Amino acid sequence: VIDASSFPENEVHILSKVKVKNLNNSKEYEYLLVSPEEADLQQGKIALTSPVGKALMGSKLGETVDAQVPAGIIKFEIISID
C-alpha cells in the first residue's frame, strides 16, 4: 500500500491524477498514474513505466514534457495535478 499523502502536491508521482494538454493536437486528457499491473487506458489509468508515464513523472504544474512514443514525440503541458 502506498500513502500518496507524503508526496509533494505540486509534482507528478504514482497515484497522481494529471490533466494534460497534448500540444500536438490541442486535446486535453486526464490520466491517473498507476503501477503497470493496474494500468487500463480505457479508464484513464496509465503505467508510470509507460512512455507517457515516464515523461510525466516528476514534472510540475505548468511544465511541458516530451513523451517518446512509437509514433514519435508527443508534447504535453501539465494543466493540473491532483
Side-chain angles (χ1 to χ4, degrees), residues 14-16 32-40 45-49:
I14 189 167
L15 301 180
S16 288
L32 178 65
L33 269 71
V34 297
S35 68
E37 296 80 21
E38 297 176 89
D40 183 346
K45 297 178 179 179
I46 61 170
L48 56 99
T49 56

Side-chain angles (χ1 to χ4, degrees), residues 13-29:
H13 50 76
I14 189 167
L15 301 180
S16 288
K17 186 180 281 187
V18 184
K19 188 172 187 179
V20 296
K21 181 175 184 179
N22 179 328
L23 299 178
N24 296 7
N25 64 14
S26 297
K27 292 185 180 178
E28 292 184 3
Y29 302 92

Side-chain angles (χ1 to χ4, degrees), residues 15-16 18 28 30 35 46 56 61 65 74 76-77 80-81:
L15 301 180
S16 288
V18 184
E28 292 184 3
E30 192 167 275
S35 68
I46 61 170
L56 294 175
L61 190 61
V65 298
I74 303 174
F76 290 105
E77 179 184 353
S80 70
I81 303 170

